[in-house]
């Protein structure tokens, strides 16, 4: 089959347009670059020459390939030259009327068979197409920056775009070494549609002073494996750009979760746009710098010393409990592993021994360290043995009645002054605390699974938690080599409060037949650098667990946009819970 679009015009040769022009020329196609005037055209050609020279220096291109590539690119300021192209890709600034005017002119200049594509990230492709007499040959083609390394291309169809035009553009993307995904026409498309709602909620979380910017960013990097924290990413994207995208999303959806957080408007009004201005959520060494300035914490925030922790108890015998025991034992702390029976406790210690043995086999642990850790763990079938420990961590079932009953028992058994911690991921810590006569000694200590490998611990203080108890847990986290982040006692804490609305949005996107499971997962992995797509993650976490957390978040915040997607409820009702049942959003039994 003949390759589609032997000649491609790129209108607008800024960073993105220049990147697209080079990518297209690398495929052996002729490229006609068009800029707004002669000066801009000269600068654009210099930008392309400089970027390709860097590619040679970094050995992504040979000198001969660069020479051949540059010979395929011509740059000028006459829009009429676009009439020679089979496909025109527009990469001018994000202004609807500017784009509509350009498309009306391209429609007049170009032959009827020419396909016109907009590179918009947030504007309505349909409204741009309506400026032409050929809406069936107009679509969106959204490359990601930097074009040379980002594999994703979103091919955006309106209700009038012909399937043939969309498939030809997808074929072009594949020929450029990219991975195209099909999307319908709504603000943000797939990747930005899911990403920016999450970024907006992170900005609102920071604005409410629920957690510091550093803790929010660390929580999402360490708790979810994301390449950047949300506030650092907003600074990279540009606070003004993010606000523009969110305004466009809210205009279409009227979902309050898409309404830009007020702090975004305040930063834009103050000229604090992120890295490009030298200051946004963080302050940078200079405009355009990627190095944030380390700001000293206020001396007034000095906190009391923590209580001494010489021994700990862990209640529970499941995966999380066993993992937490391993964390403490490897750090040299004596641990009482307390389960509902001696048999369960012994079985949990046997699982711990297997885990330590695997670490030895992988060279992560010496045999001596393994033996020392095991020697520090004492299994017991009775909570009464916890009487003299300095800190107890419960890791029993995620059921409030069960946890409250346990905390009432611990209150009677454990010595005065001991810290009582819950590992709950979604239940109110204060409800555990009020089951005791010492709520000031109760705190949340949310480890992530698997506890030995995951560095993050969310340290959740209630309105009654004593300051020295918070200090105790922060010091203990440092001793066991975990990264603590502090937050208040509200549903989801940091990670789940930001993660699960994003997952819920993905389910709604699927239910609306906007994109497929595979295309949504691909978009988030290739477009945002996420380690897993949302549906992969939902199937791993468990759809039932995810639904429970969604309901807790909705109940707490009463935000309509946080209501669990009906499709998620239907799959749980049908017993399709993800990998553990063999079927969730994908059929794992056949794999």
């Amino acid at each position: 089959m003949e390759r589609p679009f032997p000649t491609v015009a790129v209108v607008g040769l800024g960073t993105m347009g220049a990147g697209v022009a080079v990518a297209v020329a690398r495929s052996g196609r002729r490229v006609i670059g068009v800029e707004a005037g002669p000066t801009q055209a000269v600068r654009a050609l210099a930008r392309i020459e400089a970027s390709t020279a860097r590619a040679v220096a970094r050995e992504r291109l040979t000198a001969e390939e660069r020479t051949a590539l540059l010979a395929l690119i011509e740059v000028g300021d006459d829009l009429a030259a676009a009439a020679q192209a089979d496909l025109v890709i527009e990469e001018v600034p994000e202004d609807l009327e500017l784009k509509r005017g350009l498309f009306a002119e391209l429609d007049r200049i170009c032959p009827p068979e020419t396909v016109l594509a907009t590179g918009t990230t947030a504007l309505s492709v349909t409204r741009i197409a309506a400026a032409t007499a050929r809406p069936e040959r107009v679509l969106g083609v959204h490359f990601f920056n930097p074009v040379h390394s980002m594999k994703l291309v979103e091919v955006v169809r309106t209700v009038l775009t012909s399937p043939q035009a969309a498939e030809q553009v997808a074929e072009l993307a594949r020929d450029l070494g990219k991975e195209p995904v099909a999307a319908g026409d709504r603000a943000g498309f797939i990747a930005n549609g899911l990403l920016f709602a999450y970024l907006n909620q992170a900005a609102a979380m920071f604005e409410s002073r629920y957690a510091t910017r550093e803790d929010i960013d660390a929580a999402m990097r360490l708790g979810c494996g994301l390449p950047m924290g949300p506030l650092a990413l907003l600074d990279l994207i540009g606070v003004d750009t993010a606000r523009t995208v969110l305004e466009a999303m809210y205009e279409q959806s009227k979902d309050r979760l898409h309404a830009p957080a007020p702090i975004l408007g305040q930063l834009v009004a103050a000229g604090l746009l992120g890295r490009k201005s030298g200051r946004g959520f963080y302050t940078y060494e200079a405009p355009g710098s990627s190095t944030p300035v380390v700001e000293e914490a206020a001396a007034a925030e000095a906190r009391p010393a923590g209580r001494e922790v010489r021994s700990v108890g862990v209640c529970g015998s499941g995966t999380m409990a066993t993992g937490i025991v391993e964390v403490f034992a490897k750090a040299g702390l004596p641990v009482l592993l307390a389960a509902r029976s001696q048999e369960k406790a012994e079985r949990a210690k046997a699982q711990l021994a297997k885990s330590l043995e695997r670490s030895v086999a992988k060279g992560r642990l010496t045999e001596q360290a393994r033996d020392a850790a095991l020697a520090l763990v004492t299994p017991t079938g009775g909570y009464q043995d916890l009487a003299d420990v300095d800190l107890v961590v419960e890791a029993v079932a995620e059921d409030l009645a069960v946890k409250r009953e346990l905390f009432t028992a611990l209150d009677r058994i454990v010595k005065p002054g001991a810290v009582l911690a819950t590992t709950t991921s979604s239940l109110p810590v204060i409800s555990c605390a009020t089951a005791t006569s010492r709520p000031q000694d109760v705190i949340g200590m949310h480890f992530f699974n698997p506890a030995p490998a995951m560095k993050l611990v969310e340290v959740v203080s209630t309105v009654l938690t004593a300051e020295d108890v918070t200090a105790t847990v922060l010091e203990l986290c440092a001793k066991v080599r975990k990264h603590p982040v502090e937050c208040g006692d509200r549903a989801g804490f940091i990670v789940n409060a930001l993660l699960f609305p994003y997952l819920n949005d993905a389910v709604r996107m699927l239910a609306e037949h906007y994109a497929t499971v595979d295309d949504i997962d691909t978009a988030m992995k290739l477009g945002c650098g996420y380690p897993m797509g949302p549906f992969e993650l939902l199937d791993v976490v468990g759809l039932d667990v995810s639904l429970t957390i969604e309901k807790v978040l909705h109940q707490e915040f009463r935000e309509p946009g946080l209501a669990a997607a009906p499709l998620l409820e239907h799959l749980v009702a049908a017993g399709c819970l993800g990998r553990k049942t063999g079927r969730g959003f994908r059929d794992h039994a056949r794999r």
Side-chain angles (χ1 to χ4, degrees):
M1 186 173 111
E2 187 178 336
R3 292 200 311 169
F5 310 124
T7 301
V8 177
V10 180
V11 181
L13 295 169
T15 302
M16 183 62 76
V20 172
V22 169
V24 172
R26 286 193 72 167
S27 72
R29 290 172 169 83
R30 179 188 172 209
V31 178
I32 300 166
V34 182
E35 260 296 350
T39 304
Q40 294 95 319
V42 170
R43 286 181 188 154
L45 185 56
R47 190 178 298 119
I48 290 170
E49 288 172 344
S51 70
T52 52
R54 285 194 298 273
V56 171
R58 293 169 184 170
E59 299 183 345
R60 292 200 303 260
L61 274 178
T62 66
E64 293 75 17
E65 286 171 334
R66 176 176 181 261
T67 300
L69 183 156
L70 291 174
L72 289 168
I73 301 175
E74 60 184 84
V75 178
D77 63 342
D78 183 4
L79 189 62
Q84 304 168 51
D86 308 289
L87 167 69
V88 181
I89 300 174
E90 162 276 305
E91 292 288 356
V92 303
E94 283 287 88
D95 179 291
L96 181 61
E97 291 312 311
L98 174 65
K99 290 181 189 282
R100 280 174 54 83
L102 173 61
F103 271 70
E105 188 63 13
L106 288 170
D107 186 45
R108 186 184 66 78
I109 291 169
C110 297
E113 65 274 11
T114 304
V115 174
L116 307 179
T118 172
T120 182
T121 61
L123 300 174
S124 166
V125 179
T126 303
R127 291 178 69 182
I128 294 170
T132 75
R134 65 178 90 192
E136 73 286 349
R137 300 192 73 70
V138 178
L139 73 169
V141 56
H142 179 211
F143 288 84
F144 285 71
N145 196 28
V147 177
H148 70 265
S149 62
M150 296 295 280
K151 290 287 191 183
L152 183 67
V153 175
E154 291 177 321
V155 179
V156 185
R157 296 163 297 177
T158 74
V159 290
L160 296 175
T161 303
S162 78
Q164 180 190 17
E167 181 46 46
Q168 283 181 316
V169 170
E171 182 58 36
L172 168 70
R174 284 188 282 268
D175 205 32
L176 302 185
K178 307 297 183 186
E179 188 153 345
V181 296
D185 181 27
R186 74 177 189 189
F189 314 132
I190 300 174
N192 287 347
L194 294 177
L195 174 68
F196 278 89
Y198 148 71
L199 296 178
N200 195 37
Q201 294 314 297
M205 181 180 280
F206 172 70
E207 185 174 19
S208 71
R209 301 190 179 184
Y210 175 67
T212 66
R213 63 189 179 183
E214 290 84 1
D215 279 357
I216 291 170
D217 279 356
M220 299 313 290
R221 284 188 293 104
L222 300 176
C224 299
L226 304 186
M228 291 183 78
L231 303 179
L233 182 54
L234 279 164
D235 277 357
L236 174 62
I237 291 168
V239 179
D240 52 341
T241 301
R243 189 168 183 269
T244 298
V245 173
L246 285 163
E247 288 282 14
M249 290 172 62
Y250 180 72
E251 180 69 25
Q252 287 192 24
S253 71
K254 297 299 187 282
D255 184 338
R256 288 192 309 193
L257 296 179
H258 296 157
I263 192 173
L264 298 176
Q266 293 158 19
L267 289 171
V268 171
L272 307 178
L273 309 182
R275 287 189 187 182
K276 60 189 173 189
S277 67
R279 187 175 166 196
F281 286 95
Y282 294 86
T283 299
Y284 298 86
E285 289 182 345
S289 169
S290 62
T291 307
V293 175
V294 177
E295 297 173 23
E296 292 186 20
E301 295 290 326
R303 138 180 10 255
R307 304 174 188 179
E308 188 175 7
V309 177
R310 291 160 300 187
S311 62
V312 300
V314 176
C315 299
S317 56
T319 302
M320 182 57 78
T322 307
I324 294 169
V325 170
E326 181 175 335
V327 168
F328 288 137
K330 286 199 293 194
L333 283 163
V335 188
L336 273 170
L337 196 172
R340 285 180 294 176
S341 70
Q342 188 67 33
E343 182 187 0
K344 283 181 177 291
E346 297 285 357
R347 198 180 308 142
K349 184 171 181 180
Q351 287 301 116
L352 168 62
K354 288 182 181 177
S355 175
L356 293 171
E357 191 57 50
R358 284 195 296 272
S359 294
V360 171
K362 292 174 181 175
R364 296 174 185 158
L365 199 68
T366 66
E367 292 183 0
Q368 292 83 355
R370 173 201 62 196
D371 294 342
L374 274 175
L376 287 167
V377 178
T378 304
T380 176
Y383 293 141
Q384 65 275 5
D385 291 339
L386 299 171
D388 293 323
V389 299
D390 300 306
L391 179 139
V392 178
V393 178
E394 72 74 17
V396 298
E398 191 74 344
D399 180 299
L400 187 56
V402 172
K403 289 185 188 289
R404 279 179 59 85
E405 182 181 350
L406 174 58
F407 271 82
T408 299
L410 292 174
D411 187 35
R412 290 194 306 266
I413 294 167
V414 181
K415 69 183 181 183
V419 174
L420 307 180
T422 171
T423 61
T424 182
S425 62
S426 59
L427 299 173
V429 178
I430 192 67
S431 294
C432 297
T434 53
T436 76
S437 63
R438 47 172 128 178
Q440 72 278 3
D441 293 335
V442 179
I443 193 167
M445 197 174 181
H446 179 212
F447 288 82
F448 285 72
N449 196 29
M454 298 292 280
K455 299 292 284 184
L456 184 68
V457 175
E458 289 178 319
V459 178
V460 186
S461 300
T462 75
V463 290
L464 297 176
T465 303
E467 286 190 17
D468 67 333
V469 168
T470 303
T472 301
V473 172
L474 292 173
E475 291 168 9
L476 181 61
C477 286
K479 184 173 183 178
V480 301
R481 298 182 178 179
K482 296 298 181 186
H483 186 112
V485 295
E486 291 185 73
C487 58
D489 181 24
R490 72 181 199 188
F493 311 137
I494 298 174
V495 173
N496 287 350
L498 294 177
L499 174 65
F500 281 88
Y502 148 74
L503 297 176
N504 198 45
D505 278 352
V507 179
R508 281 206 293 258
M509 187 179 276
L510 176 68
E512 292 166 6
H513 304 289
Y514 178 70
T516 66
V517 165
D518 287 340
D519 278 355
I520 293 171
D521 275 357
T522 297
M524 297 314 293
K525 287 190 291 185
L526 297 185
C528 300
Y530 283 17
M532 300 178 79
F535 298 109
E536 288 178 282
L537 185 54
L538 281 160
D539 278 359
V540 168
V541 170
L543 274 59
D544 51 340
V545 173
S546 303
L547 179 60
T548 297
I549 294 173
E550 291 292 354
K551 288 181 173 179
V552 168
L553 290 171
H554 185 233
Q555 176 67 24
E556 174 104 338
F557 298 108
R558 308 298 173 93
E559 186 65 59
L562 294 177
L567 176 59
L568 185 60
E569 294 187 297
H570 295 164
L571 286 168
V572 171
C576 301
L577 308 183
R579 287 186 179 272
K580 58 189 172 188
T581 60
R583 185 175 174 189
F585 286 98
R586 289 185 172 87
D587 188 346
H588 301 281
R590 296 182 182 178
R591 296 182 175 220

